[in-house]
């Protein structure tokens, strides 16, 4: 569908799929309870998981939530972009959007098509990632079609998403701001702007000990971003290759073709996350490669945690914990 149709759709309280710089979103008017309900239903989303509302800028955020000094600073530094702020909501946002909470998650996306839609529609747009609940977020047109099949709402095609993982979610309703979901804007980035240390509820920095004791890193320990094929998460590439769990025909995912590894007698199918091995490229293709692996219909996918070098790696590891069925 085109931009004009998409805007009209949203103004008629219908759902459509829009591109963002992070992942595709299942969009609707944040003011329409009926449309919001349709979004929850189509995604199969639990009623207690609130939606993100997308606005053009901090001034428009101010119309739907109680902004503060910190949000001003953060918006100046990171908006438009991949940072979502949780702030006390104003009355105009229905409780259906926020799953009954008094706070609302708000973000100003940078994707030019999505920005044009918000500009034309002149309403805040609620949009969770355009995937079925707990499945992998879509990063292009085809992924969205694959997710919803013949129930797929009209899609505005904006090409491949730039980041390929969801926005960072930062709670500004607590005394000390707290990262609720790791993403492209890192803890360090935020601390540099605020000038003080913040907290994070999902660390993504689990040690091997945490892994072995079966402690999941992310906050609620819920399962997300999961492929249908069981995903074995290993604590390092060396351990992955020395483990007995890799069978012939399984998929093994490695950072890049240059990643050193042992050769195995039981040959797995090897997929690479990037050509370069750079963190940003790996983040961008993570979901794409997980989908690709899933489509091969093998018995198991194996991947290992990334050694921590920066906060974006925490975000990637966090997604891996959530996607995995088994941590070794
Ligand atoms: O990159 C993104 O954020 C994408 C694009 C489409 O913008 N959206 C996205 O939405 O990932 P969704 O619904 O898949 O994830 C929203 C996250 C969930 O973890 C939800 O629990 C959290 O934000 N969230 C939303 N409102 C909240 C609130 N009031 N308090 C705490 N967490 C909230
Ligand atoms: Mg999602």
């Amino acid at each position: 569908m085109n931009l004009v149709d998409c805007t009209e759709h949203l103004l008629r309280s219908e759902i459509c799929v829009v591109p963002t710089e992070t992942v595709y979103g299942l969009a609707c008017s944040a003011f329409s309870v009926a449309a919001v309900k349709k979004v929850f239903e189509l995604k199969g989303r639990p009623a207690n998981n609130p939606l993100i509302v997308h606005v053009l800028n901090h001034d428009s955020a101010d119309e739907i939530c109680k902004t503060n000094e910190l949000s001003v600073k953060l918006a100046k530094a990171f908006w438009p972009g991949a940072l979502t702020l949780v702030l006390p909501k104003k009355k105009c946002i229905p409780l259906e959007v926020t799953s009954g909470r008094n706070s609302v998650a708000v973000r100003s996306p940078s994707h030019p098509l999505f920005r044009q839609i918000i500009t034309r529609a002149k309403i805040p747009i609620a949009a969770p990632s355009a995937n079925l609940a707990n499945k992998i977020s879509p990063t292009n047109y085809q992924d969205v079609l694959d997710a919803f099949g013949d129930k797929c709402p009209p899609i505005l095609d904006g090409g491949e998403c730039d980041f390929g993982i969801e926005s960072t979610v930062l709670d500004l309703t607590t005394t000390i701001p707290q990262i609720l979901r790791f993403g492209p804007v890192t803890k360090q980035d935020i601390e540099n702007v605020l000038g003080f240390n913040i907290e994070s509820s999902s660390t993504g920095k689990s040690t091997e000990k945490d892994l072995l004791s079966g402690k999941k890193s992310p906050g609620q320990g819920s399962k997300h971003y999961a492929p249908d094929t069981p995903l074995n998460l290993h604590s390092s590439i060396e351990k992955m290759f020395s483990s007995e769990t890799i069978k012939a025909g399984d998929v093994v995912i490695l950072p890049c073709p240059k990643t050193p590894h042992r050769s195995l007698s039981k040959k797995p199918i090897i997929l690479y996350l990037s050509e370069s091995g750079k963190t940003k490229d790996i983040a961008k293709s993570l979901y794409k490669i997980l989908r690709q692996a899933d489509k091969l219909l093998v018995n198991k996918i194996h991947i290992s945690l990334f050694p921590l070098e920066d906060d974006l790696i925490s975000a990637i590891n966090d997604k891996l914990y959530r996607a995995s069925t088994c941590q070794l």
Side-chain angles (χ1 to χ4, degrees), residues 7-234:
T7 312
E8 278 173 10
H9 234 69
L10 293 168
L11 287 171
R12 282 201 303 266
S13 294
E14 285 166 21
I15 302 177
C16 48
V17 177
V18 297
T20 91
E21 71 279 25
T22 55
V23 299
Y24 275 70
L26 196 56
C28 72
S29 161
F31 292 149
S32 166
V33 171
V36 166
K37 283 186 175 164
K38 273 191 246 166
V39 165
F40 273 86
E41 197 184 307
L42 185 60
K43 262 187 80 94
R45 187 177 181 101
N48 63 0
N49 195 4
L51 307 183
I52 294 177
V53 178
H54 299 76
V55 295
L56 262 196
N57 49 40
H58 194 266
D59 282 347
S60 27
D62 200 46
E63 289 168 19
I64 62 165
C65 59
K66 293 176 192 137
T67 56
N68 59 33
E69 265 173 45
L70 301 186
S71 67
V72 170
K73 276 192 188 170
L74 292 167
K76 206 175 250 173
F78 301 113
W79 281 6
L83 178 66
T84 296
L85 301 174
V86 176
L87 288 158
K89 83 173 198 73
K90 288 188 176 166
K91 270 211 176 118
C92 60
I93 295 294
L95 285 166
E96 282 76 4
V97 171
T98 65
S99 299
R101 294 171 188 236
N102 292 322
S103 61
V104 63
V106 63
R107 141 172 137 83
S108 168
S110 67
H111 196 291
L113 288 181
F114 195 12
R115 292 189 69 74
Q116 283 195 53
I117 285 172
I118 305 172
T119 308
R120 282 162 183 260
K122 298 191 179 66
I123 47 169
I125 304 292
S129 50
N131 51 286
L132 296 177
N134 301 339
K135 295 295 175 189
I136 306 173
S137 292
T139 59
N140 60 40
Y141 183 91
Q142 189 60 45
D143 291 348
V144 180
L145 277 183
D146 288 351
F148 296 111
D150 53 12
K151 288 197 180 141
C152 195
I155 308 170
L156 176 64
D157 190 358
E160 191 73 38
C161 299
D162 254 1
F163 287 111
I165 56 172
E166 302 86 346
S167 64
T168 306
V169 178
L170 180 70
D171 190 353
L172 288 182
T173 67
T174 44
T175 320
I176 300 173
Q178 191 179 44
I179 293 188
L180 301 178
R181 179 174 75 184
F182 280 103
V185 176
T186 67
K187 186 162 181 269
Q188 192 63 58
D189 294 335
I190 295 168
E191 288 175 344
N192 289 345
V193 168
L194 294 181
F196 58 84
N197 291 342
I198 61 167
E199 290 177 347
S200 51
S201 69
S202 77
T203 66
K205 291 192 178 180
S206 297
T207 59
E208 193 182 336
K209 200 167 122 237
D210 291 334
L211 258 185
L212 292 172
S213 67
K215 190 165 122 192
K216 280 216 169 200
S217 97
Q220 304 76 16
S222 60
K223 219 174 141 40
H224 277 302
Y225 321 114
D228 290 329
T229 314
L231 182 80
N232 278 11
L233 179 61
H234 300 259

Side-chain angles (χ1 to χ4, degrees), residues 237-254:
I237 289 172
E238 299 75 52
K239 292 204 170 133
M240 177 161 73
F241 276 88
S242 59
S243 83
E244 294 295 311
T245 54
I246 299 180
K247 305 281 183 245
D250 284 358
V251 167
V252 170
I253 300 178
L254 291 175

